[in-house]
Structure formats: structure tokens, C-alpha cells
Amino acid sequence: MDDGFFDYLESNILANMPLPEGVNYILASIPKLFGTDLGTFVCQVAEQRGWPVVWTLGASLPSGSMFHKSALDPEDHASWTANNRVFDPRSTLLRSVFNISFISSGVGAGGETEAEVVAKAEGDAAVAAAGEFQRAWDAVVLERTTVAEAELGDTHFNAWWESAKNAASQGLRFEPLYPHACAAALRCVGLVLATKECICRW
């Protein structure tokens, strides 16, 4: 069997899911899609459908498969983190869909109200994060054109993940939702890694 067959976990939904509101976000693979034409296409389709894009490193095990022998071998007890997720700050949908913050705090000044200052700071931070993320993307595009695909591996993928993660603000890095984590579970999709605040739809 092709090793790549087990590169992801698939949920089987026993219901008719309403679209597009039934999708919270699109989960995209850093190793497979970041800095590629297909990755750009995924972002474009997601934007058209009103779905934010989330990037993930995945398991990044030595074999390139989540179900590498070491992960299946009961003697090895292999494990990996599920927290490697970050919203793509280039999406124009983030702040309109979720209660996401690009800054940690805002301070009023002059004749402006604190809310106005915070809103401006959020807008400026969103633009800055999108620019940094695009620069990280462009660097990977260049690297993919100069390094043979067969030579790409965990060292590259982890470096790409670090650059993408660092380009985005802390408020965009999150872990998946788990039972009883958020009161409004049906509206929430995860928790901010740094603060454990729930990320929910408005």
C-alpha cells in the first residue's frame, strides 16, 4: 500500500452538512501546499466560499507519513502534537468570521475613544501580519524552485512552519477544540495557544 495513503486523519460525518456555513475553515498542509500554485488555488477557493485558511505542519515524521511504523509500533509509543495550527493572516475574512485579535491590548489617546484606537491598531496589525506571512510564503516559493522535490524533507518543512508561525501574531496560533473547553462549543473552533481563549464565530 502507498505510504502516502495514511498522511491524514479523515472524519466521516454521518449527516448532510450544510454548505458553506457547515465549514469552519480549510486545513492546509505546510509540506504539501505552502508556497505552491495549488496552495494559492486553495486560498483563492476558500476566500470565495467564505472559509478562512488554517496552516498546519502535521506529524512531519521521518518517513513523511503520520502512520510511520514508529507511530504504529506499540513498543515505541510514538506521539506528536496537534497544536501546530495557524490562521492565514492574508485572509480578509478572519475578523469578520471569528473573534480573533491581532494585538494583545489597546490604549486610548487624544480625542479618540479606546475602541477606535483598538480598532485602528487591529487593522494595522492585521496588515502587518499579512505582509510578513506573504514574505514567508515568497521565501518558500523560491526555495521550492531551487531545491529538488525529492530532497525536501523535515528540515525544510519545520523551517517553513517556523517562518509561517512567527509571521502571524500569537492570536492566530491555536489548538483544536476539545470537550468542555468552550461554553459555546457549536460556535467555537479552537483555543488561542498563548491565552487559552476560545476562538468562536460571532
Side-chain angles (χ1 to χ4, degrees):
M1 181 180 291
D2 180 9
D3 189 52
F5 181 79
F6 290 116
D7 273 353
Y8 69 100
L9 297 175
E10 179 180 356
S11 61
N12 293 309
I13 304 173
L14 302 179
N16 293 322
M17 186 172 66
L19 296 175
E21 62 273 14
V23 176
N24 284 322
Y25 56 78
I26 298 297
L27 191 62
S29 165
I30 288 276
K32 300 287 187 181
L33 296 173
F34 198 75
T36 69
D37 291 340
L38 184 56
T40 297
F41 178 72
V42 167
C43 292
Q44 291 172 342
V45 171
E47 192 81 6
Q48 292 169 1
R49 300 291 190 273
W51 301 327
V53 173
V54 169
W55 291 97
T56 179
L57 174 63
S60 194
L61 293 175
S63 72
S65 168
M66 181 175 286
F67 287 90
H68 179 241
K69 178 182 179 298
S70 64
L72 291 174
D73 191 338
E75 298 298 322
D76 286 350
H77 303 290
S79 63
W80 54 86
T81 179
N83 294 344
N84 290 333
R85 296 186 179 189
V86 61
F87 281 102
D88 191 325
R90 298 173 301 175
S91 172
T92 61
L93 305 166
L94 284 183
R95 288 188 295 157
S96 63
V97 175
F98 297 113
N99 62 331
I100 283 177
S101 175
F102 285 78
I103 60 174
S104 57
S105 63
V107 179
E112 298 175 300
T113 66
E114 183 174 352
E116 290 173 338
V117 173
V118 171
K120 183 178 185 303
E122 284 281 1
D124 292 344
V127 171
E132 287 295 320
F133 203 86
Q134 184 62 47
R135 280 186 280 277
W137 177 281
D138 293 340
V140 173
V141 170
L142 179 61
E143 189 167 5
R144 284 188 183 274
T145 61
T146 56
V147 179
E149 185 174 358
E151 297 177 4
L152 293 175
D154 286 344
T155 300
H156 299 89
F157 305 150
N158 281 282
W160 297 349
W161 164 251
E162 288 298 320
S163 64
K165 179 180 68 174
N166 293 333
S169 67
Q170 285 195 0
L172 302 186
R173 307 174 200 170
F174 73 103
E175 61 182 336
L177 193 66
Y178 52 83
H180 312 298
C182 301
L186 294 180
R187 292 193 299 107
C188 301
V189 298
L191 296 92
V192 178
L193 274 179
T195 65
K196 301 303 179 183
E197 293 176 291
C198 292
I199 300 176
C200 309
R201 288 182 173 272
W202 292 109

